[in-house]
Amino acid sequence: QRVHLNEIPRLGGFLIFTFLILIFLKDFERPSLLYDLLISCVPIFIVGIKEDIFHNTSNHARLIGMTLSIIFFFTIHPMIFPKIDFPVFGEIISNYYVSFPFFLFASLVIINGTNLIDGMNGLMVFSTLSQLVALLFLTGLTADYEISKVVVMLIIPILIFLFFNFPLGKIFIGDFGAYFIGFIISMIVIIFFGRNSQL
């Protein structure tokens, strides 16, 4: 529900995205996880920014944009999908041609869920920060420094954004920001648990 009287810019996600691009350009490593994440989120960027600026992007267009980004990432980045320790169902999911659409659907749920909880100042940001801190702890335990580096790169601009968003709401994350953060979290969770099956 709308609780703000004035028009608030919804470009927090764009600023976070720009921050990560600048970090990547400064510390260029190719191929890299950050590069694959940034390049594959272009469809999400297009539909998300369009919605944040013009407020006229259909749900179908947004869903297509998210789906394309996930498929693009799964295609360009070497993927080892996590093993699901569940009788019968886990064995079915272990087949690549089943796990691909399964984790595609799971990622769509996370991306849309991240946008769904973006209703009050700080709600989505505090939630995603808690997820990122948990990931940072786990990557430290497993010495997965590639993912921990990306997690830290995302935490820093989110904390800066939070300073302006909570509690006064000087800027909003926007649909693109929610989609973008949900996309990155879902992708790195899949990669991380795929690499560390013991978890």
Side-chain angles (χ1 to χ4, degrees), residues 176-189:
F176 169 63
Y179 295 153
F180 178 60
I181 293 172
F183 171 75
I184 290 185
I185 289 176
S186 58
M187 294 303 102
I188 61 180
V189 163

PDB file of all heavy atoms in Angstrom, residues 176-189:
ATOM      1  N   PHE A 176      13.376  -3.267 -10.407  1.00  0.00           N
ATOM      2  CA  PHE A 176      14.642  -3.799 -10.910  1.00  0.00           C
ATOM      3  C   PHE A 176      15.566  -4.189  -9.759  1.00  0.00           C
ATOM      4  O   PHE A 176      16.201  -5.241  -9.798  1.00  0.00           O
ATOM      5  CB  PHE A 176      15.351  -2.795 -11.809  1.00  0.00           C
ATOM      6  CG  PHE A 176      16.766  -3.192 -12.122  1.00  0.00           C
ATOM      7  CD1 PHE A 176      17.024  -4.355 -12.830  1.00  0.00           C
ATOM      8  CD2 PHE A 176      17.839  -2.438 -11.675  1.00  0.00           C
ATOM      9  CE1 PHE A 176      18.329  -4.758 -13.095  1.00  0.00           C
ATOM     10  CE2 PHE A 176      19.144  -2.826 -11.934  1.00  0.00           C
ATOM     11  CZ  PHE A 176      19.393  -3.988 -12.650  1.00  0.00           C
ATOM     12  N   GLY A 177      15.637  -3.360  -8.727  1.00  0.00           N
ATOM     13  CA  GLY A 177      16.501  -3.667  -7.586  1.00  0.00           C
ATOM     14  C   GLY A 177      16.106  -4.954  -6.904  1.00  0.00           C
ATOM     15  O   GLY A 177      16.956  -5.787  -6.563  1.00  0.00           O
ATOM     16  N   ALA A 178      14.799  -5.142  -6.703  1.00  0.00           N
ATOM     17  CA  ALA A 178      14.323  -6.371  -6.057  1.00  0.00           C
ATOM     18  C   ALA A 178      14.602  -7.581  -6.943  1.00  0.00           C
ATOM     19  O   ALA A 178      15.067  -8.618  -6.460  1.00  0.00           O
ATOM     20  CB  ALA A 178      12.828  -6.253  -5.766  1.00  0.00           C
ATOM     21  N   TYR A 179      14.311  -7.444  -8.241  1.00  0.00           N
ATOM     22  CA  TYR A 179      14.581  -8.547  -9.165  1.00  0.00           C
ATOM     23  C   TYR A 179      16.081  -8.861  -9.218  1.00  0.00           C
ATOM     24  O   TYR A 179      16.483 -10.019  -9.208  1.00  0.00           O
ATOM     25  CB  TYR A 179      14.108  -8.199 -10.579  1.00  0.00           C
ATOM     26  CG  TYR A 179      12.628  -8.020 -10.741  1.00  0.00           C
ATOM     27  CD1 TYR A 179      12.109  -7.204 -11.747  1.00  0.00           C
ATOM     28  CD2 TYR A 179      11.720  -8.662  -9.909  1.00  0.00           C
ATOM     29  CE1 TYR A 179      10.747  -7.034 -11.911  1.00  0.00           C
ATOM     30  CE2 TYR A 179      10.356  -8.494 -10.065  1.00  0.00           C
ATOM     31  CZ  TYR A 179       9.869  -7.678 -11.078  1.00  0.00           C
ATOM     32  OH  TYR A 179       8.520  -7.512 -11.232  1.00  0.00           O
ATOM     33  N   PHE A 180      16.887  -7.822  -9.287  1.00  0.00           N
ATOM     34  CA  PHE A 180      18.327  -7.974  -9.431  1.00  0.00           C
ATOM     35  C   PHE A 180      18.938  -8.666  -8.208  1.00  0.00           C
ATOM     36  O   PHE A 180      19.721  -9.622  -8.336  1.00  0.00           O
ATOM     37  CB  PHE A 180      18.964  -6.599  -9.645  1.00  0.00           C
ATOM     38  CG  PHE A 180      20.461  -6.613  -9.760  1.00  0.00           C
ATOM     39  CD1 PHE A 180      21.086  -7.330 -10.759  1.00  0.00           C
ATOM     40  CD2 PHE A 180      21.244  -5.895  -8.876  1.00  0.00           C
ATOM     41  CE1 PHE A 180      22.470  -7.339 -10.878  1.00  0.00           C
ATOM     42  CE2 PHE A 180      22.625  -5.892  -8.985  1.00  0.00           C
ATOM     43  CZ  PHE A 180      23.241  -6.621  -9.991  1.00  0.00           C
ATOM     44  N   ILE A 181      18.564  -8.209  -7.021  1.00  0.00           N
ATOM     45  CA  ILE A 181      19.101  -8.818  -5.801  1.00  0.00           C
ATOM     46  C   ILE A 181      18.608 -10.261  -5.657  1.00  0.00           C
ATOM     47  O   ILE A 181      19.372 -11.163  -5.315  1.00  0.00           O
ATOM     48  CB  ILE A 181      18.720  -7.973  -4.569  1.00  0.00           C
ATOM     49  CG1 ILE A 181      19.428  -6.611  -4.631  1.00  0.00           C
ATOM     50  CG2 ILE A 181      19.076  -8.700  -3.274  1.00  0.00           C
ATOM     51  CD1 ILE A 181      18.976  -5.628  -3.578  1.00  0.00           C
ATOM     52  N   GLY A 182      17.323 -10.480  -5.929  1.00  0.00           N
ATOM     53  CA  GLY A 182      16.787 -11.842  -5.874  1.00  0.00           C
ATOM     54  C   GLY A 182      17.463 -12.754  -6.878  1.00  0.00           C
ATOM     55  O   GLY A 182      17.737 -13.931  -6.582  1.00  0.00           O
ATOM     56  N   PHE A 183      17.762 -12.225  -8.052  1.00  0.00           N
ATOM     57  CA  PHE A 183      18.440 -13.000  -9.096  1.00  0.00           C
ATOM     58  C   PHE A 183      19.841 -13.409  -8.639  1.00  0.00           C
ATOM     59  O   PHE A 183      20.217 -14.579  -8.732  1.00  0.00           O
ATOM     60  CB  PHE A 183      18.521 -12.162 -10.377  1.00  0.00           C
ATOM     61  CG  PHE A 183      19.385 -12.752 -11.450  1.00  0.00           C
ATOM     62  CD1 PHE A 183      18.955 -13.835 -12.191  1.00  0.00           C
ATOM     63  CD2 PHE A 183      20.626 -12.211 -11.731  1.00  0.00           C
ATOM     64  CE1 PHE A 183      19.751 -14.394 -13.182  1.00  0.00           C
ATOM     65  CE2 PHE A 183      21.435 -12.749 -12.723  1.00  0.00           C
ATOM     66  CZ  PHE A 183      20.991 -13.840 -13.457  1.00  0.00           C
ATOM     67  N   ILE A 184      20.602 -12.450  -8.132  1.00  0.00           N
ATOM     68  CA  ILE A 184      21.971 -12.755  -7.705  1.00  0.00           C
ATOM     69  C   ILE A 184      21.973 -13.756  -6.560  1.00  0.00           C
ATOM     70  O   ILE A 184      22.736 -14.729  -6.561  1.00  0.00           O
ATOM     71  CB  ILE A 184      22.719 -11.472  -7.302  1.00  0.00           C
ATOM     72  CG1 ILE A 184      22.998 -10.614  -8.537  1.00  0.00           C
ATOM     73  CG2 ILE A 184      24.035 -11.822  -6.602  1.00  0.00           C
ATOM     74  CD1 ILE A 184      23.841  -9.392  -8.271  1.00  0.00           C
ATOM     75  N   ILE A 185      21.109 -13.546  -5.564  1.00  0.00           N
ATOM     76  CA  ILE A 185      21.072 -14.462  -4.424  1.00  0.00           C
ATOM     77  C   ILE A 185      20.705 -15.874  -4.871  1.00  0.00           C
ATOM     78  O   ILE A 185      21.344 -16.854  -4.471  1.00  0.00           O
ATOM     79  CB  ILE A 185      20.105 -13.956  -3.340  1.00  0.00           C
ATOM     80  CG1 ILE A 185      20.682 -12.713  -2.651  1.00  0.00           C
ATOM     81  CG2 ILE A 185      19.818 -15.047  -2.304  1.00  0.00           C
ATOM     82  CD1 ILE A 185      19.760 -12.082  -1.634  1.00  0.00           C
ATOM     83  N   SER A 186      19.685 -15.995  -5.716  1.00  0.00           N
ATOM     84  CA  SER A 186      19.264 -17.336  -6.148  1.00  0.00           C
ATOM     85  C   SER A 186      20.365 -18.023  -6.950  1.00  0.00           C
ATOM     86  O   SER A 186      20.613 -19.221  -6.779  1.00  0.00           O
ATOM     87  CB  SER A 186      17.966 -17.259  -6.956  1.00  0.00           C
ATOM     88  OG  SER A 186      18.110 -16.428  -8.089  1.00  0.00           O
ATOM     89  N   MET A 187      21.065 -17.281  -7.810  1.00  0.00           N
ATOM     90  CA  MET A 187      22.122 -17.884  -8.618  1.00  0.00           C
ATOM     91  C   MET A 187      23.298 -18.348  -7.754  1.00  0.00           C
ATOM     92  O   MET A 187      23.792 -19.463  -7.915  1.00  0.00           O
ATOM     93  CB  MET A 187      22.627 -16.897  -9.679  1.00  0.00           C
ATOM     94  CG  MET A 187      21.615 -16.510 -10.756  1.00  0.00           C
ATOM     95  SD  MET A 187      20.922 -17.901 -11.701  1.00  0.00           S
ATOM     96  CE  MET A 187      19.316 -18.069 -10.918  1.00  0.00           C
ATOM     97  N   ILE A 188      23.727 -17.499  -6.823  1.00  0.00           N
ATOM     98  CA  ILE A 188      24.900 -17.888  -6.038  1.00  0.00           C
ATOM     99  C   ILE A 188      24.563 -18.974  -5.014  1.00  0.00           C
ATOM    100  O   ILE A 188      25.432 -19.775  -4.659  1.00  0.00           O
ATOM    101  CB  ILE A 188      25.587 -16.673  -5.362  1.00  0.00           C
ATOM    102  CG1 ILE A 188      24.661 -15.951  -4.400  1.00  0.00           C
ATOM    103  CG2 ILE A 188      26.136 -15.721  -6.397  1.00  0.00           C
ATOM    104  CD1 ILE A 188      25.315 -14.754  -3.717  1.00  0.00           C
ATOM    105  N   VAL A 189      23.324 -19.037  -4.560  1.00  0.00           N
ATOM    106  CA  VAL A 189      22.927 -20.131  -3.665  1.00  0.00           C
ATOM    107  C   VAL A 189      22.983 -21.459  -4.413  1.00  0.00           C
ATOM    108  O   VAL A 189      23.483 -22.468  -3.897  1.00  0.00           O
ATOM    109  CB  VAL A 189      21.517 -19.882  -3.077  1.00  0.00           C
ATOM    110  CG1 VAL A 189      20.928 -21.160  -2.500  1.00  0.00           C
ATOM    111  CG2 VAL A 189      21.572 -18.809  -2.003  1.00  0.00           C
TER     112      VAL A 189
END
